[in-house]
Amino acid sequence: MLWTTKLTRESAYDGSNAAAEALALYAQADAFAQPSSFYTSSPYRRPSRPQDINDSLLTESLKSNQLSSSHHLLAQRLLLNIYEQDLVFLPKPPMAFNLKEFKDFYEPQHVAFGKKIRPVLENYVYGWLKEEVHINGPWELESFLAHTDKVLEDVAQSDSRLFQVLTTSRDPQRAAKFFMTQCAGDFLSEASAMARNVLGNCGVYTSELFKILIDEYGYGVDKKKHSTIFEDMLKAMGMSHHVHYYWQFYTASSLSLTNYFHYVSANHGELFRYIGAMYYTEATLALTTKHQSRAIRTIFDNTVPTEYFDEHSHIDVHHGRMALKRLIIPMIEQFGNTIIPDLIRGFEEFKLLQDIADEELYAHIKWHDELDEHRARAAELHGKRNVDMRITESENELSVLHTHSNDELFWVESGELDFVMSPELSVRLKAGEGIVIPKGMIHGTCVTSKTCTYTVTAI
Ligand SMILES: [Fe+2]
Ligand SMILES: [Fe+2]
Ligand SMILES: [Fe+2]
């Protein structure tokens, strides 16, 4: 697609219209368009439902109770694309390399549209954090240490909800694979956001951060690179290890974790927020990866290597300590207490986003487990309300995974389709069958008969 022909000279400089135009042009890239499959065949294919775009993305900021909306998911997908146009991706065999797709994904004018809307989208998805995270001071080194030590100690002492949720699922392997799917968006290009912070000259801090970065990148040994160890684990679980193969299945809150690190790293004025968030994640990963490893070993009866998690239980003890001793403390000593609010803000914001992502993961696993109950509930509710929408689609028509802000009754009137909830769970719904979709739960459909008519009704 030739972007330069789409933007006229006047419109490019026309304030807010220009943002709306940039958003529209950015979103209509072939890379984000309607696919023919739920899975991607190259790192440059990222179906994002551009038809869901509206002006609210440019003019509003989400509230913390609006995170299950389809617009949140859309904005997070777009943002990750914008950030990842700064990263280099090439397909791995047996995926084919398509030079045109590659060039299109990194097309400079298209990248520029993304850059133009990036601050607006960042405000849309993260603006609410200012209201939710209170960091009232005054702060000094001692109170910073006392606060963060207490938070990390609480994490160390608490039982693992993740372990409990995965191992007590009705289908623990399916639940574990859904967890891995959510990790894949981040871990397959692990620490890329960190790399944004090691260019330039921050004196000794650049070098200290670089030490953590090269650990993440395996010191130039591909087999040791954390993303490669994660790939090995995916393969051992019978999953795809290709970057963004599961693109459509990432939840908004999983995307928000990856994007948050890019957000505070791409905007260098937020360096201290980045350092605070990085400290939280490195220090807690040293603890939580032990439980993750134990869960995978239990669920797969020791048949799946857990080196990825075990490596983090080991190395992130050091990374947490390095973040504190080599970066945070000397930075506060050099630059003064003025940087502490940003350090605390990053630490607390990422903690909150992680908690939200965990809850969203558990809610999805519960929904998957309770599929039969939600089908039975649909049969009970069917016919009792006026439908909101009646839609007819033809064979192979696919609806990219998305969410709704309300619980919805989904009902097939004629024909049949596959209703997809995770890479491991889909159900064929025939005429006279339906399902209740709880708010915020990702799902997609693909028509399997000549045509299919279904209705949706907000509950
Ligand atoms: Fe790592
Ligand atoms: Fe690390
Ligand atoms: Fe839907």
Side-chain angles (χ1 to χ4, degrees):
M1 195 173 290
L2 262 186
W3 300 100
T4 36
T5 58
K6 295 208 159 206
L7 187 72
T8 62
R9 194 178 292 263
E10 313 114 57
S11 61
Y13 298 100
D14 179 21
S16 62
N17 278 349
E21 186 169 29
L23 175 62
L25 289 174
Y26 186 76
Q28 65 181 246
D30 291 347
F32 314 147
Q34 182 65 19
S36 54
S37 164
F38 290 113
Y39 305 96
T40 53
S41 55
S42 97
Y44 320 116
R45 290 269 150 205
R46 295 134 179 262
S48 299
R49 289 179 59 101
Q51 69 271 26
D52 288 347
I53 283 189
N54 67 18
D55 283 349
S56 71
L57 270 68
L58 297 171
T59 55
E60 291 169 23
S61 177
L62 284 170
K63 302 277 174 277
S64 58
N65 62 2
Q66 295 175 321
L67 301 180
S68 42
S69 77
S70 61
H71 290 103
H72 182 216
L73 179 59
L74 167 68
Q76 293 285 6
R77 282 172 172 167
L78 291 176
L79 257 186
L80 188 58
N81 290 328
I82 293 167
Y83 294 132
E84 289 200 342
Q85 283 172 323
D86 293 340
L87 315 181
V88 185
F89 293 100
L90 289 171
K92 294 194 175 184
M95 291 229 177
F97 175 66
N98 180 323
L99 185 68
K100 183 179 179 306
E101 251 185 17
F102 167 72
K103 295 268 188 192
D104 281 352
F105 185 73
Y106 295 112
E107 203 283 319
Q109 184 60 257
H110 183 240
V111 171
F113 292 141
K115 292 272 193 287
K116 181 160 193 78
I117 55 173
R118 195 186 83 197
V120 187
L121 291 177
E122 288 168 342
N123 178 58
Y124 182 75
V125 301
Y126 295 122
W128 62 274
L129 285 167
K130 277 191 227 90
E131 263 96 82
E132 298 287 322
V133 176
H134 301 287
I135 48 153
N136 301 336
W139 289 100
E140 50 192 34
L141 181 57
E142 288 68 32
S143 50
F144 173 88
L145 293 175
H147 174 76
T148 51
D149 283 354
K150 165 88 174 64
V151 170
L152 296 175
E153 186 54 29
D154 287 350
V155 176
Q157 295 305 325
S158 58
D159 286 339
S160 171
R161 269 272 313 283
L162 180 79
F163 180 87
Q164 188 246 330
V165 168
L166 295 184
T167 54
T168 61
S169 161
R170 288 186 196 169
D171 188 334
Q173 293 202 359
R174 183 180 71 203
K177 287 181 177 181
F178 192 70
F179 164 61
M180 293 290 282
T181 302
Q182 297 312 312
C183 296
D186 189 18
F187 294 1
L188 289 176
S189 52
E190 189 169 323
S192 292
M194 184 183 281
R196 294 178 187 269
N197 295 293
V198 297
L199 304 180
N201 188 343
C202 298
V204 67
Y205 308 117
T206 303
S207 305
E208 292 299 337
L209 191 59
F210 197 75
K211 283 181 199 156
I212 301 180
L213 181 75
I214 56 177
D215 274 346
E216 306 288 348
Y217 275 75
Y219 281 82
V221 178
D222 187 56
K223 272 203 325 240
K224 296 277 174 199
K225 189 171 183 281
H226 288 182
S227 61
T228 310
I229 312 175
F230 188 72
E231 286 178 26
D232 294 342
M233 202 173 158
L234 288 172
K235 288 181 208 163
M237 291 170 85
M239 297 177 69
S240 171
H241 64 288
H242 295 286
V243 168
H244 296 328
Y245 182 82
Y246 299 113
W247 170 263
Q248 294 187 44
F249 294 90
Y250 305 149
T251 65
S253 62
S254 300
L255 289 164
S256 96
L257 298 177
T258 317
N259 280 337
Y260 181 83
F261 272 112
H262 282 296
Y263 161 49
V264 292
S265 300
N267 296 285
H268 290 307
E270 307 305 329
L271 173 69
F272 299 110
R273 261 165 104 193
Y274 168 75
I275 299 286
M278 191 267 286
Y279 176 44
Y280 177 82
T281 197
E282 296 289 343
T284 55
L285 276 175
L287 306 163
T288 53
T289 50
K290 281 191 193 137
H291 301 299
Q292 291 160 355
S293 175
R294 193 163 52 96
I296 298 297
R297 275 183 276 122
T298 306
I299 291 168
F300 291 91
D301 211 7
N302 292 314
T303 58
V304 169
T306 52
E307 190 191 344
Y308 177 83
F309 294 125
D310 301 334
E311 168 67 10
H312 284 87
S313 313
H314 155 73
I315 199 77
D316 283 344
V317 174
H318 300 290
H319 290 171
R321 204 182 299 134
M322 287 157 84
L324 182 65
K325 300 240 157 93
R326 305 285 184 85
L327 292 162
I328 291 175
I329 294 176
M331 279 174 154
I332 294 173
E333 284 168 354
Q334 182 181 346
F335 303 117
N337 294 347
T338 179
I339 66 168
I340 301 183
D342 274 9
L343 290 167
I344 287 280
R345 178 164 284 289
F347 184 92
E348 289 294 321
E349 287 179 343
F350 195 75
K351 174 178 185 295
L352 177 58
L353 293 173
Q354 182 70 64
D355 289 347
I356 290 171
D358 288 347
E359 290 304 325
E360 195 169 74
L361 171 71
Y362 306 153
H364 277 84
I365 290 171
K366 183 168 153 51
W367 184 46
H368 299 165
D369 281 352
E370 294 175 354
L371 168 65
D372 290 344
E373 288 89 325
H374 284 88
R375 293 185 67 179
R377 175 121 191 277
E380 265 167 42
L381 290 171
H382 173 64
K384 300 210 170 119
R385 286 159 211 250
N386 294 332
V387 302
D388 294 331
M389 256 195 301
R390 176 172 277 104
I391 297 157
T392 298
E393 292 174 350
S394 45
E395 193 165 13
N396 297 326
E397 198 162 334
L398 181 144
S399 146
V400 169
L401 276 89
H402 60 279
T403 62
H404 302 288
S405 308
N406 299 305
D407 290 4
E408 275 209 354
L409 170 62
F410 180 95
W411 193 261
V412 178
E413 301 217 317
S414 67
E416 56 182 45
L417 48 69
D418 283 335
F419 185 90
V420 176
M421 306 154 82
S422 93
E424 302 293 318
L425 182 63
S426 65
V427 59
R428 177 74 48 95
L429 294 178
K430 300 192 165 116
E433 296 179 337
I435 185 169
V436 168
I437 308 163
K439 76 171 191 176
M441 298 295 105
I442 56 165
H443 61 279
T445 53
C446 185
V447 172
T448 52
S449 51
K450 275 269 165 276
T451 64
C452 176
T453 298
Y454 61 86
T455 60
V456 285
T457 310
I459 303 171

